[in-house]
Amino acid sequence: MPDTHTVSPTLAQDDFDALSKLIRDAHREVQSAGGALLHHAMAAGDGLNAAQEKVSGNWKSWVPEYCFLSVHTALVYQRLARHREQIEAELERAGQLSLRAALRLIAKPPATSLIKFSIVSTHTCANI
């Protein structure tokens, strides 16, 4: 597919209106590509989630053989699909979201260790 966003050699470098339009159009494509990428990844995840329920035997060996992608990629797609609502809400709010940002968005917060404090009494009660 030809690149439609390259600067034409005949375009005068001082034609800032044309350059700014080219930049805005290209940026809009970048923004929509991120959202489209996530929607495609989530659609693949939906299919993988459905297939996993139906595949008898080792699902992890079925994925590369029939889907031609790594198990790791399949697991990422499935995870994105399971968090579709959260990802789509962020896309709506921010307008764009990279794959890496979507994965950070849905990452579980690190488990915090609960620190238990014990209160040691410094007073003794002689008359209890």
Side-chain angles (χ1 to χ4, degrees), residues 101-115:
L103 291 171
R104 276 195 307 266
L105 175 71
I106 63 175
K108 292 179 182 173
T112 57
S113 59
L114 297 176
I115 301 172

Side-chain angles (χ1 to χ4, degrees), residues 23-86:
I23 292 164
R24 286 191 310 270
D25 291 347
H27 180 64
R28 205 171 11 260
E29 291 294 322
V30 168
Q31 289 177 315
S32 67
L37 175 133
L38 287 171
H39 287 290
H40 292 304
M42 290 185 290
D46 289 336
L48 287 159
N49 287 332
Q52 187 172 12
E53 292 176 11
K54 297 176 188 216
V55 170
S56 60
N58 188 351
W59 181 81
K60 287 184 178 182
S61 64
W62 179 87
V63 169
E65 184 177 344
Y66 290 94
C67 301
F68 309 117
L69 56 124
S70 72
V71 172
H72 178 266
T73 299
L75 294 172
V76 167
Y77 290 169
Q78 288 179 291
R79 194 158 172 244
L80 291 168
R82 285 192 299 271
H83 292 89
R84 175 184 304 279
E85 192 173 301
Q86 187 178 3

